[in-house]
Amino acid sequence: IGPDVIDIRKLYAQTGKFTYDPGFLSTASCQSAITYIDGDKGELLYRGYPIEQLATQCDYLDTCYLLLNGELPDTTQRGDFHKLVINHTMVNEQMQFFLRGFRRDAHPMAVLTGLIGGLSAFYHDSTDINNPKHREISAIRLIAKMPTLVAMAYKYGIGQPYMYPKNDLSYSGNFLRMMFGTPCEEYVVNPVLERALDRIFILHADHEQNASTSTVRLCGSSGTNPFAAIAAGVACLWGPAHGGANEACLNMLEDIQRQGGVSKVGEFMEKVKDKNSGVKLMGFGHRVYKNYDPRAKLMQETCNEVLAELGLENDPLFKLAKELEKIALEDEYFVSRKLYPNVDFYSGIVQRAIGIPVNLFTGIFALARTVGWIAQLNEMIGDPEYKIGRPRQLFSGSVPRDVKPIGQR
Ligand code: ACO
């Protein structure tokens, strides 16, 4: 609580007055020590460490350890944590029968919401959110099993056999193999793609009180089990204004490409600026960043590396994205509203180049964000001031009235 922040709870206690703040534009729902964003500077820190340093000097599991424990691991802690996660990568064999109940063409986010929620039906010994041991083990299970479940959802959708985790691979390497390997041949992990994927995971690991994280906190605040709370986060992330933006962004780029590519960018931008068109430049704009999203810069770098590795330097969608960005950054509409590329603008191009299908992009985001959701959940439960989340409302409905007999209505 600083000079610019009012503790509204005190005002409420004294006056009974509460605030009206749709979309939580000016409401801090909690105190948090996990992630810091300076939206004007375009700065993002996890536990005080700049995202640029974490993305270039650490791997995703180091980042998970940091988010969960507040400090980066030393060598022993790192080894122990990696081993612990690896020990939990397999899922209960019955999960595959659960998965089989879905249509093969179901959206992976629908499947994942079900599978993650369903974990609470398989792991009864870690469902008490108020028990620190249960929270610890459910956290490890979720982080470890997410890649397995995402890959299973993918393999099920394309009718290929599931690949069991191979625990001598890195977290990201293992995921690549479960996604793209087959039992017929040895899968060799490409280190450039492995590193790119790991970076995607790091950049998406946490982002303070966004819609899905707030959903996880609110859901967990009722005392539900950790798997159910994370499933709620997955459901919220799916929306195109949030995690679904990477899928929506790639679909947008493909649409423009189909209509003529770079030559159609000007026409498309006119539609975006026309408020009646309902068209947005997906992957642009952010509630908090009023400057370049630092993750977008790192993602653009990764995009260059991956496309070069795969010999796709002339990828038309990448060219198109760069052209859209160039025009937007010079256009009064975007400049005056401080609209810059966000993390989703380039992440779709990287994922597509790796071979990840477009409808799985948000699933990859959910995989990476799971650790952030868990860290935020743990922080909330550990806070002595924590209460069930219960927003108020301004009632705008009918005055009291009597029910009329059906013939008189
Ligand atoms: N394209 C065109 N105009 C935009 C865009 C966009 N992508 N984003 C915002 N604007 C305009 C709005 O129409 C509004 O204009 P107005 O002042 O004339 O009414 C102004 O910029 C402010 O935007 P708001 O919608 O009020 O900003 P808000 O903070 O509510 O929304 C959001 C942020 C949802 C991210 C929005 O920018 C958006 O929809 N972007 C596209 C979707 C997207 O990329 N989402 C991913 C976010 S990052 C993440 O979740 C990982």
Side-chain angles (χ1 to χ4, degrees):
I1 312 288
D4 302 331
V5 182
I6 304 163
D7 187 341
I8 196 70
R9 291 165 309 171
K10 283 191 190 139
L11 190 68
Y12 177 67
Q14 286 159 8
T15 64
K17 288 192 163 87
F18 58 89
T19 51
Y20 175 58
D21 184 15
F24 303 106
L25 261 80
S26 63
T27 298
S29 60
C30 61
Q31 292 201 40
S32 180
I34 301 174
T35 290
Y36 175 77
I37 304 173
D38 186 325
D40 293 324
K41 283 196 204 149
E43 187 177 60
L44 170 63
L45 315 172
Y46 294 164
R47 302 281 192 188
Y49 294 107
I51 192 68
E52 293 80 2
Q53 291 182 25
L54 293 169
T56 49
Q57 295 173 45
C58 297
D59 71 13
Y60 176 66
L61 285 185
D62 295 342
T63 309
C64 290
Y65 187 96
L66 171 70
L67 289 168
L68 294 172
N69 301 297
E71 296 298 335
L72 281 167
D74 63 24
T75 312
T76 315
Q77 290 163 334
R78 185 173 196 271
D80 291 349
F81 186 69
H82 280 231
K83 245 185 253 154
L84 187 62
V85 171
I86 276 166
N87 264 327
H88 287 88
T89 48
M90 283 201 295
V91 296
N92 187 305
E93 195 70 0
Q94 264 183 273
M95 289 292 288
Q96 62 170 293
F97 303 117
F98 181 23
L99 180 54
R100 234 185 253 174
F102 288 95
R103 286 170 55 139
R104 284 201 194 260
D105 61 353
H107 194 286
M109 286 302 276
V111 176
L112 279 176
T113 312
L115 290 183
I116 309 303
L119 286 174
S120 48
F122 289 94
Y123 299 99
H124 290 162
D125 59 344
S126 52
T127 51
D128 180 358
I129 205 166
N130 291 309
N131 179 327
K133 275 275 148 226
H134 282 219
R135 286 208 305 281
E136 203 179 307
I137 185 76
S138 63
I140 298 300
R141 281 178 170 152
L142 279 158
I143 293 166
K145 295 181 199 312
M146 256 298 200
T148 316
L149 292 175
V150 172
M152 279 173 76
Y154 171 62
K155 289 289 197 190
Y156 177 72
I158 59 169
Q160 278 190 8
Y162 309 125
M163 294 292 284
Y164 284 168
K166 191 162 182 284
N167 292 341
D168 57 349
L169 295 176
S170 72
Y171 188 84
S172 302
N174 197 14
F175 179 64
L176 284 171
R177 182 180 165 277
M178 287 192 288
M179 284 286 294
F180 304 118
T182 66
C184 312
E185 57 193 2
E186 190 62 25
Y187 181 80
V188 181
V189 177
N190 177 323
V192 176
L193 304 191
E194 180 183 24
R195 185 66 202 138
L197 192 64
D198 208 67
R199 180 178 276 194
I200 291 177
F201 293 163
I202 294 172
L203 298 185
H204 287 85
D206 194 50
H207 213 228
E208 52 117 309
Q209 309 312 317
N210 53 78
S212 59
T213 302
S214 302
T215 301
V216 169
R217 280 186 178 251
L218 197 60
C219 185
S221 79
S222 74
T224 189
N225 72 74
F227 302 109
I230 301 304
V234 176
C236 178
L237 189 74
W238 191 1
H242 190 14
N246 50 18
E247 180 175 342
C249 179
L250 204 93
N251 288 335
M252 173 193 79
L253 293 174
E254 282 179 339
D255 258 7
I256 305 173
Q257 186 60 28
R258 267 192 297 273
Q259 286 160 29
V262 173
S263 66
K264 291 286 171 187
V265 163
E267 206 179 295
F268 175 76
M269 286 304 230
E270 287 312 310
K271 259 194 236 153
V272 169
K273 292 189 277 179
D274 172 6
K275 290 282 165 168
N276 298 320
S277 72
V279 178
K280 275 190 170 180
L281 180 54
M282 299 311 288
F284 254 71
H286 198 276
R287 172 62 60 81
V288 184
Y289 291 117
K290 300 302 165 199
N291 201 329
Y292 212 101
D293 179 341
R295 301 168 302 170
K297 272 194 197 129
L298 290 157
M299 199 49 81
Q300 197 188 28
E301 258 176 49
T302 301
C303 206
N304 276 319
E305 282 162 22
V306 167
L307 296 179
E309 170 68 15
L310 300 174
L312 300 170
E313 291 92 336
N314 293 321
D315 181 70
L317 293 195
F318 190 41
K319 279 194 177 155
L320 191 57
K322 287 213 276 201
E323 185 63 18
L324 281 165
E325 179 186 339
K326 195 170 136 245
I327 293 180
L329 293 183
E330 288 165 1
D331 189 299
E332 170 56 19
Y333 175 95
F334 292 89
V335 173
S336 63
R337 289 172 177 80
K338 300 186 176 166
L339 300 171
Y340 293 88
N342 60 50
V343 66
D344 294 320
F345 198 62
Y346 289 105
S347 75
I349 300 174
V350 180
Q351 293 190 54
R352 176 172 153 275
I354 292 176
I356 296 166
V358 177
N359 68 358
L360 204 63
F361 288 0
T362 317
I364 302 292
F365 190 162
L367 183 171
R369 182 56 59 83
T370 294
V371 68
W373 290 329
I374 296 166
Q376 300 272 349
L377 202 53
N378 286 347
E379 185 181 64
M380 178 186 75
I381 308 270
D383 181 348
E385 289 195 3
Y386 130 73
K387 289 183 188 306
I388 185 167
R390 200 328 182 165
R392 303 298 297 269
Q393 65 166 9
L394 290 186
F395 181 67
S396 60
S398 170
V399 294
R401 50 190 173 155
D402 294 320
V403 174
K404 288 186 182 148
I406 187 129
Q408 294 171 29
R409 286 178 212 160

